[in-house]
């Protein structure tokens, strides 16, 4: 059975890395003593090693040892052999490019479908959707495709931001960008605010955290979905 | 001689479409009685016809008639025949996809190098740089390449935004995104704030408007360039 936590962000303002998710992660990774981290998204250009160390620091507190997928000669095989998987945030274009180049994209899909528990944050959540086309990131690298894992039957927009009241900035709001996406694409887009995550077990998708999420569907007005909602119907 | 106005935004907060640029555009398009508009970026999904009407409304006041490139059977030929060119803002991924599909990308490059005066705003400015990789837009369509016109020897980031003081949002700032770009790419990136534009005449590039611009170079600290600066040295 698929088991995923798909989080909008790794860190809440004023909090420590993954801290707000610790109770959910204890449950999610129960019985796991090791985790394979996928550091390819490299936030701020951090190295694979340094990023993996940051993650290991957190999981140490849960009694889970961490290795980075970049430490293995055959990264796809490392994914297949992993007890648990975590893809961290950063740049989604870079992440997706590396996932295709290394064969890790297909390996994650197979492992998660076979029951390996998965955690994604930010870019690592984006790739759980049908495509990466609702990322907020800059296209710093040209990936071979925008298609992603499709572990949920819709797209995600992590770090979802409401229009800023009183803003004088004339760049598009997040809502306008997603509306432009729906001129050409039919899949629903779920805007996950920071502090929200999806808990996926098999075909059941629950919205967790204290905040509502914003759902965008082609040809419909956006809707607010309350915290705790069952989103298993969404496709 | 190349003649371009490369504007961060079409519209200032509280102003009308292109209004703040009107004095510069009168000079820039002096002697032109017609202009070819490239509406491919479709902001908010607006149709080519409606977008062209909005633009015609403004240029009417300057005594310049406007046609949309989509009205022509051979759009590349229409660009070659045009007296003046304007590429409007919207989604850069969509714009670049259409420019390649129609052959208009190469046609603009040739026309501008042969002296046809060009105006770009937002996405229409992005494409004047070496690549579209420092756009802020969502990847709603997969373009055949990120390479763009290279009419200036650097990249642009229109609608440049400074980090918001007191923001609790954990998504990357614009500066962090550009730093991630420079992990993999060497060309300078010029962050143009709303209200700034570049005036390009041949190899001379001047920063116009009342604001400074922010320059990002690989391996260097970001720099502020004063309004009025000559940026002809930048590459």
């Amino acid at each position: 059975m698929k088991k995923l936590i798909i989080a909008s962000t790794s860190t809440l303002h004023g909090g420590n890395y993954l801290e707000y998710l610790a109770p959910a992660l204890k449950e999610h990774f129960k019985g796991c003593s090791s985790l394979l981290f996928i550091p390819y998204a490299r936030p701020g250009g951090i190295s694979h090693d340094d990023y993996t160390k940051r993650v290991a620091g957190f999981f140490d507190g849960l009694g889970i040892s961490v290795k980075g997928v970049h430490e293995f000669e055959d990264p796809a095989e490392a994914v297949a052999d992993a007890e648990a998987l975590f893809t961290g945030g950063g740049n989604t274009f870079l992440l997706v490019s590396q996932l295709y180049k290394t064969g890790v994209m297909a390996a994650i899909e197979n492992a998660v479908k076979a029951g390996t528990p998965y955690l994604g944050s930010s870019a690592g959540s984006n790739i759980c959707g049908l495509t990466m086309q609702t990322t907020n990131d800059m296209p710093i690298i040209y990936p071979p495709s925008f298609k992603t894992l499709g572990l949920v039957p819709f797209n995600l927009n992590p770090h979802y931001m409401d229009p800023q009241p009183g803003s004088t900035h004339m760049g598009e709001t997040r809502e306008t960008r997603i509306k432009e996406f729906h001129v050409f694409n039919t899949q629903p887009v779920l805007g996950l605010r920071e502090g929200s995550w999806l808990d996926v077990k098999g075909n059941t998708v629950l919205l967790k955290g204290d905040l509502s999420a914003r759902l965008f569907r082609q040809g419909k007005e956006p809707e607010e979905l309350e915290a705790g909602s069952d989103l298993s119907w969404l496709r």
Side-chain angles (χ1 to χ4, degrees), chain A:
Chain A
M1 186 179 75
K2 279 192 297 187
K3 279 180 66 183
L4 299 95
I5 286 184
I6 299 173
S8 174
T9 184
S10 62
T11 313
L12 291 183
H13 183 73
N16 293 318
Y17 189 68
L18 292 174
E19 187 180 37
Y20 78 101
L21 281 171
L25 295 179
K26 254 179 219 166
E27 181 60 32
H28 189 61
F29 291 126
K30 194 148 71 179
C32 298
S33 60
S34 68
L35 176 145
L36 186 72
F37 178 57
I38 295 149
Y40 292 153
R42 300 182 59 186
I46 189 176
S47 73
H48 292 153
D49 278 343
D50 287 349
Y51 199 10
T52 303
K53 269 181 217 155
R54 183 194 294 175
V55 169
F58 170 80
F59 279 99
D60 196 43
L62 303 190
I64 296 174
S65 69
V66 170
K67 278 203 168 184
V69 73
H70 65 289
E71 299 171 43
F72 292 83
E73 208 172 315
D74 185 338
E77 192 181 81
V79 170
D81 293 344
E83 236 188 319
L85 293 168
F86 170 31
T87 306
N91 185 287
T92 307
F93 291 86
L94 176 57
L95 172 60
V96 168
S97 296
Q98 286 296 109
L99 289 176
Y100 276 115
K101 198 169 154 185
T102 54
V104 168
M105 186 73 93
I108 295 176
E109 187 184 342
N110 292 334
V112 174
K113 285 183 175 166
T116 308
Y118 177 95
L119 166 65
S121 71
S122 195
S125 292
N126 240 319
I127 59 168
C128 295
L130 294 168
T131 74
M132 57 163 282
Q133 289 174 277
T134 48
T135 175
N136 312 309
D137 296 336
M138 231 177 221
I140 62 173
I141 288 209
Y142 187 73
S145 169
F146 285 161
K147 197 170 169 294
T148 47
L149 293 164
L151 294 168
V152 289
F154 46 84
N155 267 30
L156 292 147
N157 181 251
H159 298 284
Y160 181 75
M161 279 184 91
D162 294 290
Q164 308 278 86
S167 169
T168 60
H169 188 72
M170 299 301 286
E172 291 87 349
T173 62
R174 194 68 61 80
E175 189 157 323
T176 301
R177 295 173 195 280
I178 296 171
K179 189 177 162 193
E180 291 175 355
F181 171 78
H182 275 144
V183 174
F184 300 97
N185 302 276
T186 56
Q187 65 263 45
V189 178
L190 189 65
L192 274 184
R193 296 186 176 91
E194 294 177 349
S196 292
W197 69 96
L198 297 180
D199 187 290
V200 181
K201 293 223 167 59
N203 293 319
T204 304
V205 181
L206 299 177
L207 175 61
K208 298 286 195 166
D210 295 334
L211 303 169
S212 64
R214 197 157 178 86
L215 175 63
F216 301 88
R217 284 187 288 179
Q218 196 183 39
K220 299 197 173 161
E221 286 300 306
E223 290 164 69
E224 285 293 317
L225 305 172
E226 290 313 303
S229 293
D230 185 331
L231 306 184
S232 312
W233 55 273
L234 181 60
R235 58 198 66 245

